[in-house]
Each structure stands twice: as structure tokens, then as C-alpha cells.
Short mmCIF file of all heavy atoms in Angstrom, two decimals:
data_model
loop_
_atom_site.label_atom_id
_atom_site.label_comp_id
_atom_site.label_asym_id
_atom_site.label_seq_id
_atom_site.Cartn_x
_atom_site.Cartn_y
_atom_site.Cartn_z
N MET A 1221 2.56 70.81 -8.72
CA MET A 1221 2.92 69.48 -9.12
C MET A 1221 3.73 68.75 -8.07
O MET A 1221 3.54 67.59 -7.86
CB MET A 1221 3.72 69.52 -10.42
CG MET A 1221 2.89 69.77 -11.62
SD MET A 1221 3.92 69.47 -13.06
CE MET A 1221 2.83 70.12 -14.27
N ALA A 1222 4.67 69.46 -7.45
CA ALA A 1222 5.50 68.82 -6.43
C ALA A 1222 4.66 68.39 -5.23
O ALA A 1222 5.06 67.50 -4.50
CB ALA A 1222 6.59 69.77 -5.97
N ASP A 1223 3.49 69.00 -5.05
CA ASP A 1223 2.64 68.66 -3.92
C ASP A 1223 1.61 67.57 -4.25
O ASP A 1223 0.79 67.24 -3.43
CB ASP A 1223 1.90 69.90 -3.43
CG ASP A 1223 2.85 70.93 -2.86
OD1 ASP A 1223 4.02 70.60 -2.68
OD2 ASP A 1223 2.42 72.06 -2.59
N GLU A 1224 1.69 67.01 -5.47
CA GLU A 1224 0.74 65.97 -5.84
C GLU A 1224 0.97 64.73 -5.00
O GLU A 1224 2.11 64.39 -4.68
CB GLU A 1224 0.91 65.59 -7.32
CG GLU A 1224 0.43 66.64 -8.27
CD GLU A 1224 0.59 66.19 -9.72
OE1 GLU A 1224 0.69 64.96 -9.95
OE2 GLU A 1224 0.60 67.04 -10.59
N PRO A 1225 -0.09 64.03 -4.64
CA PRO A 1225 0.09 62.80 -3.89
C PRO A 1225 0.76 61.74 -4.75
O PRO A 1225 0.69 61.78 -5.97
CB PRO A 1225 -1.34 62.38 -3.52
CG PRO A 1225 -2.22 63.11 -4.48
CD PRO A 1225 -1.48 64.36 -4.87
N ALA A 1226 1.42 60.78 -4.11
CA ALA A 1226 2.13 59.72 -4.82
C ALA A 1226 1.21 58.90 -5.70
O ALA A 1226 1.64 58.30 -6.66
CB ALA A 1226 2.84 58.81 -3.81
N SER A 1227 -0.08 58.89 -5.43
CA SER A 1227 -1.01 58.08 -6.19
C SER A 1227 -1.46 58.75 -7.49
O SER A 1227 -2.13 58.13 -8.29
CB SER A 1227 -2.23 57.72 -5.35
OG SER A 1227 -2.89 58.91 -4.96
N ALA A 1228 -1.11 60.01 -7.70
CA ALA A 1228 -1.53 60.69 -8.92
C ALA A 1228 -0.69 60.22 -10.10
O ALA A 1228 0.49 59.99 -9.97
CB ALA A 1228 -1.37 62.21 -8.75
N GLY A 1229 -1.30 60.06 -11.26
CA GLY A 1229 -0.55 59.70 -12.46
C GLY A 1229 -0.66 58.23 -12.80
O GLY A 1229 -1.74 57.73 -13.03
N ALA A 1230 0.46 57.54 -12.81
CA ALA A 1230 0.51 56.14 -13.22
C ALA A 1230 -0.11 55.23 -12.17
O ALA A 1230 -0.15 55.56 -10.99
CB ALA A 1230 1.96 55.72 -13.46
N PRO A 1231 -0.61 54.06 -12.59
CA PRO A 1231 -1.15 53.10 -11.63
C PRO A 1231 -0.06 52.59 -10.69
O PRO A 1231 1.12 52.63 -11.02
CB PRO A 1231 -1.70 51.98 -12.50
CG PRO A 1231 -1.05 52.14 -13.82
CD PRO A 1231 -0.69 53.59 -13.95
N ALA A 1232 -0.46 52.12 -9.53
CA ALA A 1232 0.49 51.71 -8.50
C ALA A 1232 1.47 50.65 -8.98
O ALA A 1232 2.63 50.65 -8.61
CB ALA A 1232 -0.26 51.21 -7.26
N ASP A 1233 1.03 49.72 -9.84
CA ASP A 1233 1.92 48.65 -10.27
C ASP A 1233 2.97 49.13 -11.27
O ASP A 1233 3.89 48.40 -11.60
CB ASP A 1233 1.13 47.48 -10.86
CG ASP A 1233 0.30 47.87 -12.06
OD1 ASP A 1233 0.14 49.07 -12.33
OD2 ASP A 1233 -0.19 46.97 -12.74
N ALA A 1234 2.89 50.34 -11.76
CA ALA A 1234 3.88 50.89 -12.69
C ALA A 1234 4.79 51.88 -11.99
O ALA A 1234 5.52 52.62 -12.63
CB ALA A 1234 3.17 51.57 -13.86
N ARG A 1235 4.78 51.90 -10.68
CA ARG A 1235 5.55 52.88 -9.93
C ARG A 1235 6.82 52.28 -9.36
O ARG A 1235 6.87 51.14 -8.98
CB ARG A 1235 4.72 53.43 -8.78
CG ARG A 1235 3.54 54.19 -9.30
CD ARG A 1235 2.83 54.91 -8.17
NE ARG A 1235 1.86 55.78 -8.76
CZ ARG A 1235 2.15 56.97 -9.27
NH1 ARG A 1235 3.35 57.43 -9.22
NH2 ARG A 1235 1.23 57.71 -9.83
N GLY A 1236 7.85 53.11 -9.30
CA GLY A 1236 9.08 52.73 -8.63
C GLY A 1236 8.98 53.08 -7.16
O GLY A 1236 7.90 53.35 -6.65
N ASP A 1237 10.11 53.08 -6.47
CA ASP A 1237 10.09 53.43 -5.07
C ASP A 1237 9.65 54.88 -4.90
O ASP A 1237 9.76 55.68 -5.79
CB ASP A 1237 11.44 53.18 -4.42
CG ASP A 1237 12.56 54.03 -4.98
OD1 ASP A 1237 12.36 54.67 -6.03
OD2 ASP A 1237 13.64 54.04 -4.38
N ARG A 1238 9.09 55.19 -3.77
CA ARG A 1238 8.58 56.52 -3.44
C ARG A 1238 7.53 57.01 -4.43
O ARG A 1238 7.36 58.20 -4.61
CB ARG A 1238 9.72 57.51 -3.32
CG ARG A 1238 10.67 57.13 -2.21
CD ARG A 1238 11.70 58.18 -2.03
NE ARG A 1238 12.71 57.69 -1.12
CZ ARG A 1238 13.59 58.43 -0.52
NH1 ARG A 1238 13.60 59.72 -0.74
NH2 ARG A 1238 14.46 57.93 0.29
N GLY A 1239 6.86 56.10 -5.12
CA GLY A 1239 5.74 56.47 -5.95
C GLY A 1239 6.07 57.03 -7.32
O GLY A 1239 5.20 57.54 -7.99
N ARG A 1240 7.30 56.96 -7.76
CA ARG A 1240 7.66 57.48 -9.07
C ARG A 1240 7.58 56.36 -10.10
O ARG A 1240 8.04 55.25 -9.86
CB ARG A 1240 9.08 58.04 -9.05
CG ARG A 1240 9.24 59.13 -8.01
CD ARG A 1240 9.60 60.41 -8.64
NE ARG A 1240 9.56 61.46 -7.63
CZ ARG A 1240 10.49 62.37 -7.52
NH1 ARG A 1240 11.51 62.37 -8.32
NH2 ARG A 1240 10.38 63.29 -6.61
N PRO A 1241 7.03 56.64 -11.28
CA PRO A 1241 6.89 55.59 -12.30
C PRO A 1241 8.24 55.22 -12.93
O PRO A 1241 9.12 56.05 -13.04
CB PRO A 1241 5.96 56.20 -13.33
CG PRO A 1241 6.08 57.66 -13.14
CD PRO A 1241 6.42 57.89 -11.69
N ILE A 1242 8.35 53.95 -13.33
CA ILE A 1242 9.51 53.47 -14.07
C ILE A 1242 9.10 53.46 -15.54
O ILE A 1242 8.11 52.85 -15.91
CB ILE A 1242 9.90 52.03 -13.64
CG1 ILE A 1242 10.17 51.96 -12.15
CG2 ILE A 1242 11.08 51.53 -14.44
CD1 ILE A 1242 11.33 52.77 -11.67
N ASP A 1243 9.84 54.13 -16.37
CA ASP A 1243 9.51 54.22 -17.79
C ASP A 1243 9.92 52.93 -18.49
O ASP A 1243 11.10 52.60 -18.56
CB ASP A 1243 10.24 55.41 -18.40
CG ASP A 1243 9.87 55.68 -19.84
OD1 ASP A 1243 9.23 54.82 -20.48
OD2 ASP A 1243 10.23 56.75 -20.33
N PRO A 1244 8.96 52.18 -19.04
CA PRO A 1244 9.28 50.92 -19.74
C PRO A 1244 10.24 51.12 -20.91
O PRO A 1244 11.07 50.25 -21.18
CB PRO A 1244 7.92 50.42 -20.23
CG PRO A 1244 6.92 51.10 -19.37
CD PRO A 1244 7.52 52.42 -18.99
N LYS A 1245 10.16 52.25 -21.60
CA LYS A 1245 11.09 52.52 -22.72
C LYS A 1245 12.52 52.66 -22.22
O LYS A 1245 13.46 52.22 -22.87
CB LYS A 1245 10.68 53.79 -23.48
CG LYS A 1245 9.37 53.67 -24.19
CD LYS A 1245 9.51 52.71 -25.35
CE LYS A 1245 8.22 52.67 -26.13
NZ LYS A 1245 8.20 51.60 -27.10
N LEU A 1246 12.69 53.26 -21.04
CA LEU A 1246 14.02 53.40 -20.46
C LEU A 1246 14.58 52.02 -20.13
O LEU A 1246 15.76 51.73 -20.40
CB LEU A 1246 13.95 54.26 -19.20
CG LEU A 1246 15.26 54.47 -18.44
CD1 LEU A 1246 16.28 55.20 -19.31
CD2 LEU A 1246 15.01 55.23 -17.16
N LEU A 1247 13.75 51.15 -19.59
CA LEU A 1247 14.20 49.81 -19.24
C LEU A 1247 14.62 49.01 -20.48
O LEU A 1247 15.50 48.17 -20.41
CB LEU A 1247 13.09 49.06 -18.49
CG LEU A 1247 12.74 49.65 -17.13
CD1 LEU A 1247 11.58 48.88 -16.51
CD2 LEU A 1247 13.94 49.65 -16.21
N GLU A 1248 14.01 49.31 -21.62
CA GLU A 1248 14.36 48.61 -22.86
C GLU A 1248 15.75 48.98 -23.37
O GLU A 1248 16.42 48.16 -23.99
CB GLU A 1248 13.35 48.94 -23.96
CG GLU A 1248 12.00 48.30 -23.79
CD GLU A 1248 11.02 48.70 -24.88
OE1 GLU A 1248 11.46 49.17 -25.95
OE2 GLU A 1248 9.81 48.56 -24.64
N ILE A 1249 16.20 50.21 -23.10
CA ILE A 1249 17.48 50.65 -23.67
C ILE A 1249 18.65 50.56 -22.68
O ILE A 1249 19.80 50.61 -23.11
CB ILE A 1249 17.38 52.08 -24.23
CG1 ILE A 1249 17.04 53.08 -23.14
CG2 ILE A 1249 16.40 52.14 -25.37
CD1 ILE A 1249 17.11 54.53 -23.59
N LEU A 1250 18.38 50.43 -21.39
CA LEU A 1250 19.46 50.34 -20.42
C LEU A 1250 20.18 48.99 -20.51
O LEU A 1250 19.56 47.95 -20.72
CB LEU A 1250 18.93 50.51 -19.00
CG LEU A 1250 18.54 51.92 -18.59
CD1 LEU A 1250 17.92 51.91 -17.21
CD2 LEU A 1250 19.74 52.84 -18.63
N VAL A 1251 21.49 49.02 -20.34
CA VAL A 1251 22.30 47.80 -20.27
C VAL A 1251 23.23 47.91 -19.06
O VAL A 1251 23.44 49.00 -18.53
CB VAL A 1251 23.13 47.58 -21.55
CG1 VAL A 1251 22.24 47.35 -22.75
CG2 VAL A 1251 24.09 48.73 -21.80
N CYS A 1252 23.78 46.81 -18.67
CA CYS A 1252 24.74 46.79 -17.57
C CYS A 1252 25.96 47.62 -17.96
O CYS A 1252 26.53 47.42 -19.03
CB CYS A 1252 25.15 45.36 -17.26
SG CYS A 1252 26.47 45.23 -16.04
N PRO A 1253 26.39 48.57 -17.11
CA PRO A 1253 27.55 49.39 -17.45
C PRO A 1253 28.86 48.61 -17.45
O PRO A 1253 29.82 49.04 -18.06
CB PRO A 1253 27.55 50.47 -16.37
CG PRO A 1253 26.77 49.90 -15.25
CD PRO A 1253 25.78 48.95 -15.85
N LEU A 1254 28.88 47.45 -16.81
CA LEU A 1254 30.09 46.65 -16.74
C LEU A 1254 30.20 45.68 -17.91
O LEU A 1254 31.22 45.63 -18.59
CB LEU A 1254 30.12 45.88 -15.41
CG LEU A 1254 31.39 45.16 -15.05
CD1 LEU A 1254 32.54 46.14 -14.89
CD2 LEU A 1254 31.20 44.38 -13.77
N THR A 1255 29.13 44.93 -18.18
CA THR A 1255 29.17 43.89 -19.21
C THR A 1255 28.51 44.30 -20.52
O THR A 1255 28.65 43.61 -21.52
CB THR A 1255 28.46 42.62 -18.71
OG1 THR A 1255 27.07 42.88 -18.58
CG2 THR A 1255 29.05 42.13 -17.41
N LYS A 1256 27.75 45.38 -20.49
CA LYS A 1256 26.93 45.83 -21.62
C LYS A 1256 25.84 44.82 -21.97
O LYS A 1256 25.25 44.85 -23.04
CB LYS A 1256 27.77 46.13 -22.87
CG LYS A 1256 28.93 47.06 -22.65
CD LYS A 1256 28.49 48.41 -22.13
CE LYS A 1256 29.69 49.33 -22.03
NZ LYS A 1256 29.87 49.93 -20.76
N GLY A 1257 25.55 43.91 -21.04
CA GLY A 1257 24.52 42.90 -21.22
C GLY A 1257 23.16 43.38 -20.74
O GLY A 1257 23.02 44.48 -20.19
N PRO A 1258 22.14 42.53 -20.91
CA PRO A 1258 20.77 42.90 -20.54
C PRO A 1258 20.58 42.99 -19.03
O PRO A 1258 21.34 42.41 -18.24
CB PRO A 1258 19.93 41.76 -21.12
CG PRO A 1258 20.87 40.60 -21.18
CD PRO A 1258 22.24 41.18 -21.46
N LEU A 1259 19.54 43.72 -18.65
CA LEU A 1259 19.16 43.88 -17.25
C LEU A 1259 17.76 43.34 -17.05
O LEU A 1259 16.91 43.45 -17.93
CB LEU A 1259 19.20 45.35 -16.84
CG LEU A 1259 20.57 46.01 -16.90
CD1 LEU A 1259 20.42 47.52 -16.80
CD2 LEU A 1259 21.47 45.48 -15.81
N ARG A 1260 17.52 42.77 -15.89
CA ARG A 1260 16.19 42.28 -15.50
C ARG A 1260 15.67 43.19 -14.40
O ARG A 1260 16.36 43.49 -13.43
CB ARG A 1260 16.30 40.84 -15.00
CG ARG A 1260 15.00 40.27 -14.46
CD ARG A 1260 15.17 38.84 -13.97
NE ARG A 1260 16.25 38.65 -13.01
CZ ARG A 1260 16.18 38.89 -11.71
NH1 ARG A 1260 15.05 39.35 -11.18
NH2 ARG A 1260 17.21 38.66 -10.92
N TYR A 1261 14.43 43.64 -14.54
CA TYR A 1261 13.82 44.51 -13.55
C TYR A 1261 13.23 43.67 -12.43
O TYR A 1261 12.43 42.78 -12.66
CB TYR A 1261 12.74 45.36 -14.21
CG TYR A 1261 11.95 46.22 -13.25
CD1 TYR A 1261 12.58 47.12 -12.41
CD2 TYR A 1261 10.57 46.12 -13.20
CE1 TYR A 1261 11.85 47.91 -11.53
CE2 TYR A 1261 9.84 46.91 -12.33
CZ TYR A 1261 10.48 47.80 -11.51
OH TYR A 1261 9.76 48.58 -10.65
N ASP A 1262 13.65 43.93 -11.20
CA ASP A 1262 13.11 43.27 -10.01
C ASP A 1262 12.22 44.28 -9.30
O ASP A 1262 12.71 45.17 -8.60
CB ASP A 1262 14.25 42.81 -9.11
CG ASP A 1262 13.77 42.06 -7.88
OD1 ASP A 1262 12.58 42.18 -7.50
OD2 ASP A 1262 14.60 41.35 -7.28
N ASP A 1263 10.92 44.15 -9.51
CA ASP A 1263 9.95 45.11 -8.97
C ASP A 1263 9.95 45.10 -7.44
O ASP A 1263 9.92 46.16 -6.81
CB ASP A 1263 8.56 44.78 -9.50
CG ASP A 1263 7.51 45.78 -9.05
OD1 ASP A 1263 7.78 46.99 -9.11
OD2 ASP A 1263 6.41 45.35 -8.66
N ALA A 1264 10.01 43.93 -6.83
CA ALA A 1264 9.94 43.83 -5.37
C ALA A 1264 11.13 44.52 -4.70
O ALA A 1264 10.97 45.19 -3.68
CB ALA A 1264 9.87 42.36 -4.95
N ALA A 1265 12.32 44.36 -5.27
CA ALA A 1265 13.52 44.95 -4.68
C ALA A 1265 13.83 46.33 -5.23
O ALA A 1265 14.74 47.00 -4.73
CB ALA A 1265 14.72 44.03 -4.91
N GLN A 1266 13.09 46.76 -6.27
CA GLN A 1266 13.35 48.04 -6.94
C GLN A 1266 14.80 48.11 -7.40
O GLN A 1266 15.56 49.04 -7.05
CB GLN A 1266 12.99 49.21 -6.03
CG GLN A 1266 11.50 49.40 -5.86
CD GLN A 1266 10.83 49.69 -7.20
OE1 GLN A 1266 11.12 50.68 -7.84
NE2 GLN A 1266 9.94 48.82 -7.63
N GLU A 1267 15.19 47.11 -8.19
CA GLU A 1267 16.55 47.03 -8.71
C GLU A 1267 16.53 46.57 -10.16
O GLU A 1267 15.60 45.90 -10.59
CB GLU A 1267 17.37 46.02 -7.91
CG GLU A 1267 17.57 46.37 -6.47
CD GLU A 1267 18.29 45.30 -5.69
OE1 GLU A 1267 18.09 44.09 -5.96
OE2 GLU A 1267 19.07 45.67 -4.80
N LEU A 1268 17.59 46.90 -10.87
CA LEU A 1268 17.86 46.34 -12.19
C LEU A 1268 19.01 45.35 -12.00
O LEU A 1268 20.07 45.71 -11.50
CB LEU A 1268 18.24 47.43 -13.18
CG LEU A 1268 17.14 48.42 -13.50
CD1 LEU A 1268 17.67 49.53 -14.40
CD2 LEU A 1268 15.95 47.73 -14.13
N VAL A 1269 18.78 44.11 -12.37
CA VAL A 1269 19.72 43.04 -12.10
C VAL A 1269 20.47 42.65 -13.36
O VAL A 1269 19.87 42.39 -14.40
CB VAL A 1269 18.97 41.81 -11.52
CG1 VAL A 1269 19.94 40.66 -11.27
CG2 VAL A 1269 18.24 42.20 -10.24
N SER A 1270 21.79 42.59 -13.25
CA SER A 1270 22.65 42.07 -14.31
C SER A 1270 23.11 40.69 -13.87
O SER A 1270 23.99 40.57 -13.00
CB SER A 1270 23.85 42.99 -14.53
OG SER A 1270 24.77 42.38 -15.42
N GLU A 1271 22.52 39.67 -14.46
CA GLU A 1271 22.90 38.29 -14.12
C GLU A 1271 24.35 38.04 -14.52
O GLU A 1271 25.08 37.36 -13.79
CB GLU A 1271 21.97 37.30 -14.82
CG GLU A 1271 20.50 37.46 -14.49
CD GLU A 1271 20.13 37.04 -13.07
OE1 GLU A 1271 20.94 36.37 -12.40
OE2 GLU A 1271 19.03 37.41 -12.64
N ASN A 1272 24.78 38.58 -15.67
CA ASN A 1272 26.15 38.36 -16.16
C ASN A 1272 27.20 38.94 -15.22
O ASN A 1272 28.25 38.33 -15.02
CB ASN A 1272 26.32 38.96 -17.56
CG ASN A 1272 25.48 38.27 -18.60
OD1 ASN A 1272 25.08 37.11 -18.44
ND2 ASN A 1272 25.18 38.96 -19.68
N ALA A 1273 26.94 40.09 -14.65
CA ALA A 1273 27.90 40.74 -13.75
C ALA A 1273 27.69 40.34 -12.30
O ALA A 1273 28.55 40.57 -11.46
CB ALA A 1273 27.79 42.26 -13.88
N GLY A 1274 26.52 39.76 -11.98
CA GLY A 1274 26.21 39.41 -10.60
C GLY A 1274 25.95 40.65 -9.75
O GLY A 1274 26.26 40.66 -8.56
N LEU A 1275 25.37 41.68 -10.37
CA LEU A 1275 25.13 42.94 -9.69
C LEU A 1275 23.67 43.35 -9.80
O LEU A 1275 23.00 43.04 -10.78
CB LEU A 1275 25.99 44.06 -10.29
CG LEU A 1275 27.50 43.92 -10.17
CD1 LEU A 1275 28.19 45.01 -10.99
CD2 LEU A 1275 27.94 43.97 -8.72
N ALA A 1276 23.21 44.07 -8.78
CA ALA A 1276 21.86 44.64 -8.78
C ALA A 1276 22.00 46.15 -8.57
O ALA A 1276 22.57 46.59 -7.57
CB ALA A 1276 21.02 44.02 -7.67
N PHE A 1277 21.49 46.91 -9.54
CA PHE A 1277 21.58 48.37 -9.50
C PHE A 1277 20.30 48.94 -8.90
O PHE A 1277 19.20 48.61 -9.36
CB PHE A 1277 21.80 48.91 -10.92
CG PHE A 1277 23.09 48.44 -11.53
CD1 PHE A 1277 23.12 47.28 -12.28
CD2 PHE A 1277 24.26 49.13 -11.32
CE1 PHE A 1277 24.31 46.82 -12.83
CE2 PHE A 1277 25.45 48.69 -11.86
CZ PHE A 1277 25.47 47.53 -12.62
N PRO A 1278 20.42 49.79 -7.88
CA PRO A 1278 19.22 50.32 -7.22
C PRO A 1278 18.47 51.32 -8.09
O PRO A 1278 19.04 51.95 -8.99
CB PRO A 1278 19.79 51.02 -5.98
CG PRO A 1278 21.16 51.44 -6.39
CD PRO A 1278 21.65 50.35 -7.33
N ILE A 1279 17.17 51.43 -7.81
CA ILE A 1279 16.34 52.47 -8.42
C ILE A 1279 15.89 53.37 -7.28
O ILE A 1279 15.23 52.92 -6.35
CB ILE A 1279 15.13 51.86 -9.15
CG1 ILE A 1279 15.61 50.93 -10.26
CG2 ILE A 1279 14.22 52.96 -9.69
CD1 ILE A 1279 14.51 50.14 -10.92
N ARG A 1280 16.30 54.64 -7.34
CA ARG A 1280 15.97 55.60 -6.29
C ARG A 1280 15.13 56.72 -6.87
O ARG A 1280 15.53 57.35 -7.85
CB ARG A 1280 17.25 56.17 -5.68
CG ARG A 1280 18.08 55.13 -4.99
CD ARG A 1280 19.28 55.73 -4.31
NE ARG A 1280 20.16 54.69 -3.83
CZ ARG A 1280 21.46 54.65 -4.03
NH1 ARG A 1280 22.07 55.62 -4.68
NH2 ARG A 1280 22.17 53.64 -3.57
N ASP A 1281 14.00 56.95 -6.27
CA ASP A 1281 13.08 58.00 -6.74
C ASP A 1281 12.75 57.83 -8.21
O ASP A 1281 12.63 58.80 -8.95
CB ASP A 1281 13.65 59.39 -6.48
CG ASP A 1281 13.83 59.69 -5.00
OD1 ASP A 1281 12.99 59.22 -4.22
OD2 ASP A 1281 14.78 60.38 -4.64
N GLY A 1282 12.66 56.58 -8.66
CA GLY A 1282 12.31 56.29 -10.04
C GLY A 1282 13.47 56.38 -11.02
O GLY A 1282 13.28 56.21 -12.21
N ILE A 1283 14.68 56.62 -10.50
CA ILE A 1283 15.86 56.78 -11.36
C ILE A 1283 16.83 55.63 -11.13
O ILE A 1283 17.30 55.43 -10.01
CB ILE A 1283 16.57 58.11 -11.07
CG1 ILE A 1283 15.60 59.27 -11.30
CG2 ILE A 1283 17.84 58.25 -11.91
CD1 ILE A 1283 16.10 60.59 -10.80
N PRO A 1284 17.13 54.85 -12.18
CA PRO A 1284 18.13 53.78 -12.03
C PRO A 1284 19.51 54.38 -11.78
O PRO A 1284 19.94 55.29 -12.49
CB PRO A 1284 18.09 53.05 -13.38
CG PRO A 1284 16.83 53.48 -14.03
CD PRO A 1284 16.52 54.85 -13.50
N ILE A 1285 20.19 53.87 -10.78
CA ILE A 1285 21.54 54.32 -10.45
C ILE A 1285 22.50 53.30 -11.08
O ILE A 1285 22.74 52.23 -10.53
CB ILE A 1285 21.76 54.41 -8.92
CG1 ILE A 1285 20.66 55.23 -8.25
CG2 ILE A 1285 23.15 54.96 -8.61
CD1 ILE A 1285 20.52 56.65 -8.74
N MET A 1286 23.03 53.65 -12.24
CA MET A 1286 23.81 52.70 -13.04
C MET A 1286 25.32 52.84 -12.79
O MET A 1286 26.11 52.81 -13.71
CB MET A 1286 23.47 52.90 -14.52
CG MET A 1286 22.01 52.75 -14.84
SD MET A 1286 21.30 51.17 -14.31
CE MET A 1286 22.23 50.04 -15.30
N LEU A 1287 25.70 52.96 -11.54
CA LEU A 1287 27.10 53.05 -11.14
C LEU A 1287 27.50 51.74 -10.47
O LEU A 1287 26.85 51.29 -9.53
CB LEU A 1287 27.31 54.21 -10.18
CG LEU A 1287 26.92 55.59 -10.68
CD1 LEU A 1287 26.98 56.60 -9.54
CD2 LEU A 1287 27.83 56.00 -11.83
N VAL A 1288 28.60 51.15 -10.93
CA VAL A 1288 29.06 49.88 -10.37
C VAL A 1288 29.33 50.03 -8.88
O VAL A 1288 29.02 49.13 -8.09
CB VAL A 1288 30.30 49.37 -11.13
CG1 VAL A 1288 30.89 48.13 -10.46
CG2 VAL A 1288 29.95 49.08 -12.59
N ASP A 1289 29.85 51.18 -8.46
CA ASP A 1289 30.14 51.41 -7.04
C ASP A 1289 28.88 51.44 -6.18
O ASP A 1289 28.95 51.22 -4.97
CB ASP A 1289 30.90 52.72 -6.85
CG ASP A 1289 32.32 52.66 -7.39
OD1 ASP A 1289 32.81 51.54 -7.65
OD2 ASP A 1289 32.93 53.71 -7.57
N GLU A 1290 27.73 51.74 -6.78
CA GLU A 1290 26.46 51.79 -6.05
C GLU A 1290 25.70 50.46 -6.10
O GLU A 1290 24.71 50.29 -5.40
CB GLU A 1290 25.57 52.89 -6.63
CG GLU A 1290 26.10 54.28 -6.42
CD GLU A 1290 25.96 54.75 -4.99
OE1 GLU A 1290 24.95 54.42 -4.33
OE2 GLU A 1290 26.86 55.46 -4.52
N ALA A 1291 26.16 49.55 -6.94
CA ALA A 1291 25.46 48.27 -7.12
C ALA A 1291 25.70 47.33 -5.94
O ALA A 1291 26.72 47.43 -5.24
CB ALA A 1291 25.92 47.61 -8.41
N ARG A 1292 24.76 46.43 -5.78
CA ARG A 1292 24.84 45.41 -4.74
C ARG A 1292 25.19 44.09 -5.42
O ARG A 1292 24.68 43.76 -6.48
CB ARG A 1292 23.47 45.30 -4.06
CG ARG A 1292 23.32 44.17 -3.07
CD ARG A 1292 21.91 44.12 -2.50
NE ARG A 1292 20.90 43.72 -3.47
CZ ARG A 1292 20.65 42.46 -3.84
NH1 ARG A 1292 21.37 41.48 -3.36
NH2 ARG A 1292 19.71 42.20 -4.72
N ARG A 1293 26.12 43.34 -4.84
CA ARG A 1293 26.42 42.00 -5.35
C ARG A 1293 25.20 41.12 -5.12
O ARG A 1293 24.63 41.14 -4.04
CB ARG A 1293 27.61 41.39 -4.64
CG ARG A 1293 28.91 42.01 -5.06
CD ARG A 1293 29.75 40.97 -5.79
NE ARG A 1293 30.85 41.64 -6.45
CZ ARG A 1293 31.02 41.67 -7.76
NH1 ARG A 1293 30.18 41.06 -8.55
NH2 ARG A 1293 32.03 42.28 -8.29
N ILE A 1294 24.80 40.36 -6.12
CA ILE A 1294 23.66 39.46 -5.99
C ILE A 1294 23.99 38.43 -4.92
O ILE A 1294 25.07 37.86 -4.90
CB ILE A 1294 23.33 38.77 -7.33
CG1 ILE A 1294 22.87 39.82 -8.34
CG2 ILE A 1294 22.28 37.70 -7.14
CD1 ILE A 1294 22.64 39.27 -9.72
N GLY A 1295 23.05 38.23 -4.02
CA GLY A 1295 23.23 37.29 -2.91
C GLY A 1295 23.62 37.96 -1.62
O GLY A 1295 23.56 37.37 -0.57
N GLU A 1296 24.05 39.24 -1.68
CA GLU A 1296 24.36 39.99 -0.46
C GLU A 1296 23.11 40.66 0.05
O GLU A 1296 22.24 41.03 -0.72
CB GLU A 1296 25.43 41.06 -0.73
CG GLU A 1296 26.78 40.51 -1.05
CD GLU A 1296 27.79 41.62 -1.29
OE1 GLU A 1296 27.43 42.81 -1.21
OE2 GLU A 1296 28.96 41.28 -1.56
N ASP A 1297 23.02 40.86 1.33
CA ASP A 1297 21.86 41.55 1.92
C ASP A 1297 22.21 42.96 2.31
O ASP A 1297 23.23 43.36 2.56
CB ASP A 1297 21.34 40.79 3.14
CG ASP A 1297 20.71 39.46 2.72
OD1 ASP A 1297 20.02 39.42 1.69
OD2 ASP A 1297 20.91 38.49 3.44
#
């Protein structure tokens, strides 16, 4: 299984970075750890965005990193 190509399994448009799928059910239950408000999924940047907090949480290997210290301020590069 670990040797499967990135294209095996879910279609390409349902994949996170490095070819891992993002579970839509997980996205429904996640909230911003700072504001407890909703998150918007940014497919192009592979981030979960909290408009209320002004933060973007990275998704690494298909796993959302929901730590404020790991988040990027919206508008920063």
C-alpha cells in the first residue's frame, strides 16, 4: 500500500497535497481553533482559511495542521 502511486484511489480533484485525499466529512466538522468559527477550504493553496481570525491553516500530506503557531496570516506570503 505504501508503494501505491499517488494516482491510486480518489480522483485527482479530491486530493490534498502530495496526492492524499481530503475527507469532506472532516472538513464539515473542523472549526478554527482560535475563534471556533467556520473554515473555508482553499484547494489551490491547500489551506483551511478562517476569515474571522485572519489565518490560513496548512494541509500537509492530507492532514490539516490546526495549530495557531503553524498558521499563516492571511495576506502574508
Side-chain angles (χ1 to χ4, degrees):
M1221 284 191 190
D1223 294 350
E1224 288 182 20
S1227 61
D1233 60 348
R1235 295 189 171 279
D1237 63 348
R1238 298 185 189 195
R1240 302 242 173 136
I1242 303 296
D1243 186 347
K1245 294 291 184 190
L1246 179 63
L1247 295 177
E1248 287 178 20
I1249 61 172
L1250 286 175
V1251 295
C1252 174
L1254 189 63
T1255 68
K1256 308 301 185 233
L1259 297 167
R1260 175 180 54 82
Y1261 175 56
D1262 183 341
D1263 184 45
Q1266 288 299 298
E1267 296 176 324
L1268 294 175
V1269 178
S1270 172
E1271 301 289 346
N1272 295 337
L1275 296 172
F1277 298 91
I1279 299 173
R1280 297 184 188 132
D1281 296 325
I1283 301 168
I1285 308 301
M1286 303 304 297
L1287 302 171
V1288 174
D1289 291 345
E1290 293 287 323
R1292 173 182 69 80
R1293 287 245 167 243
I1294 295 175
E1296 292 181 0
D1297 292 320

